Amino acid sequence: FYYYFLSSINTFSSPTRTNLLNMAKLSIKGLIESALSFGRTLDSDYPPLQQFFVVMEHCLKHGLKVKKSFLGYNKSLWGPLELVEKLCPEAAEISASVRDLPGLKTPLGRARAWLRLALMQKRLADYLRLLITRKDLLSDFYETSALMLEEEGAVIVGLLVGLNVIDANLCVKGEDLDSQVGVIDFSMYLKNDIDDYRSEERNSQIASILDQKNYVEELNRQLNSTVHGLQGRVDSLEKSNSKLIEELAIAKNNIIKLQEENQQLRSENNLILLKAQQHLEVTQGDVSLERDTYKQSRQGLDEMYNEARRQLKEECQLRQDVENELVVQVSMKQEMELAMKLLEKDIHEKQDTLIGLRQQLDEVKAINVEMYQKMQSSSEEMKKKNDMISRLEEKTNQITATMKQLEQRLQEAERHRTSAEEGTRRFKLDFANKADSLQRQIEHKEKLQQLETDLKIEREWRQTLQNDLHREKDTVAQLGTEALQINGLKKEFHRLQDENIQLKNICEDQEQALEELGSKLSESKLKIEDIKEANKALQGGQVWLKDKDATHCKMCEKEFSISRRKHHCRNCGEIFCNSCSDNELPLPASPKPVRVCDTCHALLLQRCSSNPT
């Protein structure tokens, strides 16, 4: 058979399902036999264990689909083995450990590490059983004729159950699993007859050991199921017991109240009986006296008898009235409890209104802060505009001074021009009178040339004065526009002043409204405190919360633990942590300072400050 198997392996390029099944049987059988003879704890260097992993790798690779990638085509075992994490949450630890291993770089190395960790956990058969049951998921990774999708896969998974008797101690972290070559060594499976006889004995021993193991596992499962059932029954009994204890305590309190009411009724009944007996004794005395006088006056005796009977009826009626009054008292007690509930509801509504008033107060404060900021910004703008106005006034003063200087220069230029015209006119008259002599003509020509040069100079100077005059007119026009801008700024300044005054008036009105709201709020708080005290007086004191009813602090809502202890507030009776109840104040019920919560501490201090008497 072994030679036939070797020849079949060598003739085909890829092993068939039957060949792989036979090879898996041989490797699992040889591993179990060698482990029993060698010792149950195996390490990574053990040859049968290495051959077992090689055979399992070939079985899992059979019929595996080729996946496309950027680097080419490859077959990956890590894909189907990664599905076990979704099917069984316990396998998540193995998958996470495989991903965290630093030396693994290929999917094949991760698959080999996963097989070794599953074998050490003794859950390899369970994980593969879950995997082969989901053929719809495996069809994405394997062909239709693959070993994992056929009956041979279920047979191999059944054979893997026998490996649970073996303890493996494998070092996966330092081993190079990426570059290992999976070659099956058939030499270790070639055995003689003596080995066959020994293997049969070992098979019988293994079968007995497996039977004992299965029996122990089944017994352990039954014991676990019975333990879980008993635990559930114990939990249900404890819950029912706690409920019965609470109901018993409530019933005891009701019985005590009924006994007290019964005692009160009995005492009232005894008083009524004593009164009736006294009345009866009085009537009996009257009857004895009437008996003495019976013989004298039968009519008087009948009248006295009727009177006694009438008194007896009155006493019975009185007793009935007392019983009716007792019923009325009980109904009044119920009405009082209803009134207390309505009063608590009213208190809660007033607390809601107080919260709304506080929110409105916060909004008004925010509005006041915003108005104050706007007022500051407007005052800063006013300062800037005042500085600008002062600068513009200085500039206008300078411009007016320069305009005055230019007018003076213009007047001087006009005077020079008139004087020059008069000189020319006089020169013409002299030229007409002295036309006779040539000497005078020559002199006149020289003077005329000189006057022409002076006239040219005078014309140039006049042209420069006209240009300066145009420039000054432009500057005057610019100064006029700037003056108009200054007038607009003054108007805007006056408008901002008016807005500032209006804002100040609004702010003062809001401050007065806030003061009124604060006074009303303090009055409402005092009224609420009086109502609470009246409620506590009607209820016979505050409700003292039990320790078992509180698991979190009422103020900060943090859970109680060994480090965070429970503390009762002596004013409201609620349970708080140490940081929320680290206050001490004297109360009316206890003159010494006692522990109170932060809320009660603030309320009591506010009451003391608002009402010092």
Side-chain angles (χ1 to χ4, degrees), residues 171-220:
C171 182
V172 183
K173 189 173 182 181
E175 192 172 358
D176 187 11
L177 299 175
D178 294 329
S179 61
Q180 287 183 1
V181 180
V183 179
I184 301 173
D185 186 11
F186 298 101
S187 62
M188 60 190 306
Y189 302 113
L190 302 175
K191 301 179 182 178
N192 52 16
D193 295 336
I194 297 170
D195 293 334
D196 292 337
Y197 177 71
R198 291 178 181 175
S199 64
E200 289 178 358
E201 291 180 354
R202 289 172 183 170
N203 287 332
S204 61
Q205 292 177 1
I206 290 167
S208 63
I209 290 168
L210 290 174
D211 293 336
Q212 292 176 2
K213 177 181 175 294
N214 293 327
Y215 173 72
V216 170
E217 287 179 352
E218 185 66 28
L219 186 61
N220 192 10

Side-chain angles (χ1 to χ4, degrees), residues 293-437:
T293 59
Y294 176 69
K295 292 178 181 180
Q296 297 175 2
S297 176
R298 179 69 179 269
Q299 187 178 359
L301 184 60
D302 291 334
E303 290 177 359
M304 291 298 292
Y305 178 73
N306 292 326
E307 184 70 22
R309 191 170 182 180
R310 185 178 61 78
Q311 288 179 359
L312 183 60
K313 286 181 180 179
E314 287 178 358
E315 293 297 331
C316 292
Q317 186 67 32
L318 182 62
R319 183 176 179 182
Q320 187 67 30
D321 293 338
V322 170
E323 289 178 355
N324 292 330
E325 188 177 357
L326 182 62
V327 174
V328 170
Q329 290 291 334
V330 172
S331 63
M332 286 178 67
K333 185 179 179 182
Q334 292 177 356
E335 290 177 358
M336 188 180 291
E337 289 177 355
L338 182 62
M340 289 298 295
K341 290 180 181 178
L342 293 173
L343 186 62
E344 288 179 356
K345 186 177 179 181
D346 191 9
I347 288 167
H348 289 302
E349 289 178 356
K350 287 184 178 180
Q351 286 179 355
D352 295 335
T353 55
L354 277 174
I355 292 167
L357 287 172
R358 286 177 183 171
Q359 290 177 357
Q360 291 178 2
L361 184 62
D362 294 334
E363 291 176 358
V364 170
K365 286 181 179 178
I367 291 167
N368 286 331
V369 171
E370 186 176 359
M371 296 296 289
Y372 180 71
Q373 291 176 357
K374 286 183 179 179
M375 187 173 69
Q376 286 183 349
S377 62
S378 64
S379 63
E380 290 177 357
E381 290 179 358
M382 290 292 293
K383 289 179 181 178
K384 290 179 181 178
K385 289 180 180 179
N386 288 326
D387 295 335
M388 189 182 290
I389 288 166
S390 62
R391 288 196 298 270
L392 288 172
E393 288 178 353
E394 291 176 357
K395 196 170 184 181
T396 51
N397 292 327
Q398 291 177 0
I399 290 167
T400 53
T402 53
M403 286 176 69
K404 288 179 180 179
Q405 291 177 2
L406 289 171
E407 287 176 355
Q408 291 176 1
R409 290 174 66 185
L410 184 62
Q411 289 175 1
E412 290 177 358
E414 288 290 333
R415 285 197 300 271
H416 286 295
R417 187 174 62 79
T418 54
S419 63
E421 287 177 354
E422 288 177 358
T424 53
R425 185 173 56 81
R426 289 174 182 176
F427 178 74
K428 286 180 180 178
L429 292 172
D430 293 334
F431 183 74
N433 293 323
K434 295 178 181 180
D436 296 332
S437 63

Side-chain angles (χ1 to χ4, degrees), residues 14 27 85 107 121 126 158 161 181 192 213 227 238 273 281-282 348 362 396 400 429 468 483 515 597-599:
S14 62
S27 64
E85 182 180 1
Q121 205 178 23
D126 298 333
V161 177
V181 180
N192 52 16
K213 177 181 175 294
V227 165
E238 286 179 353
L273 289 173
E281 288 176 357
V282 171
H348 289 302
D362 294 334
T396 51
T400 53
L429 292 172
D468 293 334
E515 289 177 357
C597 63
D598 293 342
T599 306

Side-chain angles (χ1 to χ4, degrees), residues 446-461:
E446 289 178 356
K447 288 180 180 179
L448 187 64
Q449 287 178 356
Q450 189 175 1
L451 286 171
E452 284 178 356
T453 54
D454 292 334
L455 185 63
K456 287 180 181 179
I457 292 167
E458 194 71 27
R459 285 176 180 175
E460 290 176 356
W461 187 45

Side-chain angles (χ1 to χ4, degrees), residues 118-184:
L119 182 64
M120 284 194 290
Q121 205 178 23
K122 296 185 179 181
R123 298 295 302 276
L124 182 60
D126 298 333
Y127 294 154
L128 293 179
R129 185 185 297 110
L130 291 173
L131 191 61
I132 63 173
T133 54
R134 297 298 300 272
K135 293 184 180 180
D136 54 344
L137 298 175
L138 287 177
S139 61
D140 296 335
F141 298 95
Y142 289 98
E143 302 289 343
T144 55
S145 62
L147 185 140
M148 294 298 290
L149 298 176
E150 299 294 335
E151 295 179 355
E152 287 84 355
V155 174
I156 291 173
V157 170
L159 293 172
L160 291 174
V161 177
L163 296 177
N164 293 336
V165 299
I166 298 173
D167 294 330
N169 186 10
L170 307 177
C171 182
V172 183
K173 189 173 182 181
E175 192 172 358
D176 187 11
L177 299 175
D178 294 329
S179 61
Q180 287 183 1
V181 180
V183 179
I184 301 173

Side-chain angles (χ1 to χ4, degrees), residues 582-611:
D582 192 10
N583 306 300
E584 288 186 354
L585 277 178
L587 299 175
S590 61
K592 293 183 179 180
V594 293
R595 181 184 288 271
V596 292
C597 63
D598 293 342
T599 306
C600 294
H601 184 260
L603 289 174
L604 291 171
L605 287 177
Q606 188 175 2
R607 287 191 65 196
C608 292
S609 61
S610 61
N611 190 9

